[in-house]
Amino acid sequence: MTCIYLIRHGQASFGKDDYDCLSPLGEQQCTHLGADLKRRGVRFDKVFRGSMLRHQQTAKGCLRAMGADESIIENTIVDANWNEYDHQDILAQLNPAFATPAGVKQHLMQHKNPNMALQNVIEEAFSRWMSNDFAQQYTESWMAYQNRIELAIQNVIDHNEDAKHIAVFSSGGPIAVLSQTLLNIPASNLMKVNWTLVNAGVTKIIHSKKGLVLSSLNDHSAFEGNHRHLITYK
């Protein structure tokens, strides 16, 4: 039996020109999670991560705080299949004005409730993407994205080399897709699941001869109580 810990990246630089970089708070989240995992006696035999900068930064911060062996850190397997969807492309296909963060900001400034406006834009953009009616317009279709995530988890299974505890540092999308699949939740609810995933939250999957089972989803107990200020969702 193997425990696979899917760890979402720390808070990224939402609203900035380059989203793919941890914010100072995001770095703090990773360090705190690592220290909490160490306190609980968790040790990883093998580590995978996506190829995005925020995945690299999250893995490094968490593993260092855990006191992980250098060999584990140096032998981390980088697999781009664990990367997030291209949210900017998905937004741009809905409206070319949304091709840049600046364009999205300009749109939101026209609304009395920017947060609600943003949620509406995202829901409309992702519904369009997931309908597969316009698949050829995207750099990566919804179906291709799902297939990529299936390949990512299969790669972990195929290369676990009898590891008992495996960490995978990824993003909300891949974690939401896998969770939905294992719980038989309709794919159309992707964003409802994704909205609830906290930064540096941990979702645990058990792999055995019987297959994959979702053991826990979005565990963020490390940030409760006196550390609630570390809970974020972007």
Side-chain angles (χ1 to χ4, degrees):
M1 185 177 72
T2 302
C3 296
I4 303 172
Y5 297 76
L6 305 178
I7 302 174
R8 190 187 179 201
H9 62 78
Q11 184 190 60
S13 299
F14 183 77
K16 304 293 184 181
D17 290 337
D18 184 9
Y19 175 77
D20 190 24
C21 181
L22 294 188
S23 68
L25 180 59
E27 294 176 349
Q28 187 178 354
Q29 290 167 336
C30 302
T31 300
H32 182 77
L33 174 63
D36 186 74
L37 290 172
K38 181 179 181 179
R39 178 186 62 80
R40 290 157 51 189
V42 176
R43 297 183 65 86
F44 298 129
D45 307 312
K46 205 173 191 65
V47 177
F48 292 76
R49 67 169 175 83
S51 64
M52 293 178 155
L53 178 59
R54 58 187 183 270
H55 301 155
Q56 177 186 2
Q57 293 173 320
T58 302
K60 181 178 180 181
C62 181
L63 294 172
R64 295 287 187 195
M66 289 180 70
D69 294 339
E70 284 299 320
S71 60
I72 295 294
I73 298 175
E74 293 174 0
N75 292 316
T76 294
I77 298 175
V78 180
D79 183 358
N81 286 319
W82 284 107
N83 288 0
E84 186 60 286
Y85 43 66
D86 186 344
H87 72 279
Q88 211 67 61
D89 178 61
I90 294 171
L91 292 173
Q93 297 309 324
L94 175 67
N95 186 335
F98 300 156
T100 65
V104 175
K105 281 184 179 180
Q106 185 175 3
H107 172 77
L108 298 180
M109 288 174 60
Q110 302 173 14
H111 292 78
K112 294 182 178 180
N113 189 334
N115 289 332
M116 181 61 69
L118 176 61
Q119 183 174 338
N120 291 337
V121 166
I122 290 177
E123 289 180 351
E124 184 178 358
F126 276 80
S127 293
R128 183 181 190 275
W129 176 53
M130 295 170 66
S131 72
N132 277 320
D133 293 337
F134 312 93
Q136 71 282 357
Q137 297 179 7
Y138 296 91
T139 56
E140 182 179 42
S141 70
W142 165 241
M143 186 172 297
Y145 180 69
Q146 289 179 292
N147 292 338
R148 173 161 65 81
I149 305 309
E150 290 180 7
L151 180 59
I153 190 64
Q154 190 59 52
N155 285 341
V156 172
I157 295 171
D158 292 342
H159 297 90
N160 71 3
E161 298 176 352
D162 297 324
K164 299 301 182 184
H165 296 87
I166 298 176
V168 177
F169 293 90
S170 184
S171 293
I175 295 172
V177 168
L178 286 172
S179 299
Q180 285 180 261
T181 300
L182 294 175
L183 292 174
N184 291 318
I185 297 175
S188 58
N189 290 323
L190 172 71
M191 296 313 296
K192 291 182 179 179
V193 176
N194 208 353
W195 282 113
T196 68
L197 299 180
V198 304
N199 292 117
V202 182
T203 294
K204 187 164 68 173
I205 293 175
I206 305 297
H207 175 251
S208 68
K209 294 180 180 179
K210 296 181 179 180
L212 294 172
V213 175
L214 185 66
S215 175
S216 62
L217 174 62
N218 196 33
D219 176 22
H220 53 284
S221 56
F223 305 120
E224 294 180 339
N226 295 331
H227 303 287
R228 287 188 58 81
H229 64 284
L230 294 176
I231 298 178
T232 59
Y233 297 87
K234 297 178 181 177

